[in-house]
Amino acid sequence: MKLRHECKHEINLSDMLAIRQRLSAVMKRDENGADGRYFVRSLYFDDFTNKALRDKIDGINMREKFRIRFYNNDTSFIRLEKKIKRSGFCGKESAMLTKSEAQSLIEGEYDWLINSDRPLLWELYSKMRTGLKPKTIVDYTREAFVYPYGNVRVTVDGDIRTGMYCTAIFDENCPTVSAGNSPIILEVKWDEFLPLVIRDLVQMEGRRTSSFSKYAACRIYG
């Protein structure tokens, strides 16, 4: 697994409009979305001690989170992901899930994982046996831009919503509410180097690097 650089900035609507115009002049919009925009729904896991949440709040340098994720309500493409943070670097492991497999995990049925040929599912099995379970839904809208040199990806995430105690990600009637006064999040990821032109584009006066976590924000109600 390759670790990448990552930095985040909390911005407002005015910032977003300005930076969208800048990025569009230099970067390509993500082809996976409609004009680079798409809806993201994730179901995050945590244990009975809320370790993933506490590690984030406490600023632990080495931490991980498991989640199930799909896009634009398309349940034909669902992934189990393990997000890893290591002293400012980030990485991700993933494995495909069918809708029925994801639903079984939501319902707490995980014995089948041990017979999987996907190593990440074996790891999830061991974690679920020791208390890891689905915790909350995190929804947001993403606008993404890509740049080939440095393998740069810039995303703008807004309208962050929480499912509170609901974990039924496939239920259209599952209620979600705004995650408090969550800002818009500008996130920049790159490999070995960040081209100067991109560095200049994402600079916003008065906006410092942030450690904002959508998952932590969506645990505002419990």
Side-chain angles (χ1 to χ4, degrees):
M1 179 186 58
K2 185 174 185 177
L3 295 179
R4 307 186 72 202
H5 297 269
E6 177 187 78
C7 69
K8 298 179 182 179
H9 303 272
E10 298 181 23
I11 63 175
N12 57 34
L13 180 59
S14 178
D15 296 330
M16 182 190 74
L17 295 174
I19 205 161
R20 175 191 290 162
Q21 185 175 15
R22 293 184 199 171
L23 296 176
S24 296
V26 176
M27 304 181 73
K28 291 184 177 180
R29 291 179 179 269
D30 190 331
E31 295 178 352
N32 294 317
D35 197 23
R37 299 184 183 92
Y38 49 91
F39 171 74
V40 182
R41 167 160 282 193
S42 303
L43 175 62
Y44 281 82
F45 289 68
D46 213 334
D47 64 15
F48 62 93
T49 69
N50 291 310
K51 184 178 187 303
L53 179 62
R54 289 188 296 105
D55 283 355
K56 172 59 184 177
I57 293 173
D58 294 342
I60 302 301
N61 281 329
M62 299 180 65
R63 57 185 188 270
E64 65 183 34
K65 290 193 293 284
F66 277 86
R67 66 193 180 201
I68 295 171
R69 171 168 287 188
F70 59 101
Y71 305 89
N72 292 328
N73 297 312
D74 179 6
T75 57
S76 68
F77 186 86
I78 304 171
R79 289 191 302 200
L80 171 70
E81 298 180 342
K82 182 174 77 167
K83 181 76 178 290
I84 299 167
K85 283 291 187 72
R86 296 287 186 271
S87 301
F89 291 85
C90 69
K92 184 168 61 179
E93 297 179 28
S94 64
M96 296 300 297
L97 292 174
T98 65
K99 184 177 179 179
S100 61
E101 288 173 339
Q103 184 61 42
S104 69
L105 296 177
I106 294 168
E107 295 172 357
E109 299 173 2
Y110 56 85
D111 286 344
W112 61 272
L113 292 169
I114 195 64
N115 297 315
S116 172
D117 59 356
R118 291 157 282 178
L120 187 59
L121 271 61
W122 300 341
E123 183 178 353
L124 181 64
Y125 172 78
S126 67
K127 298 289 176 62
M128 292 189 76
R129 277 187 58 87
T130 56
L132 194 72
K133 64 180 182 179
K135 202 69 174 185
T136 193
I137 292 171
V138 176
D139 287 347
Y140 56 91
T141 301
R142 165 165 285 179
E143 189 167 1
F145 300 83
V146 295
Y147 192 75
Y149 305 106
N151 191 22
V152 181
R153 182 175 175 84
V154 179
T155 56
V156 181
D157 299 337
D159 191 23
I160 302 169
R161 301 180 65 83
T162 173
M164 296 183 290
Y165 305 106
C166 179
T167 59
I169 56 175
F170 304 123
D171 183 357
E172 295 180 356
N173 296 316
C174 178
T176 62
V177 298
S178 179
N181 296 316
S182 296
I184 299 168
I185 302 301
L186 171 68
E187 184 173 294
V188 186
K189 293 181 181 176
W190 68 96
D191 289 346
E192 286 78 14
F193 70 98
L194 180 62
L196 184 59
V197 62
I198 304 300
R199 190 184 302 272
D200 290 341
L201 287 174
V202 298
Q203 290 299 318
M204 303 296 297
E205 185 176 353
R207 306 298 182 212
R208 297 183 178 179
T209 301
S210 168
S211 60
F212 185 88
S213 164
K214 299 182 193 73
Y215 171 62
C218 286
R219 291 292 306 277
I220 186 173
Y221 301 112

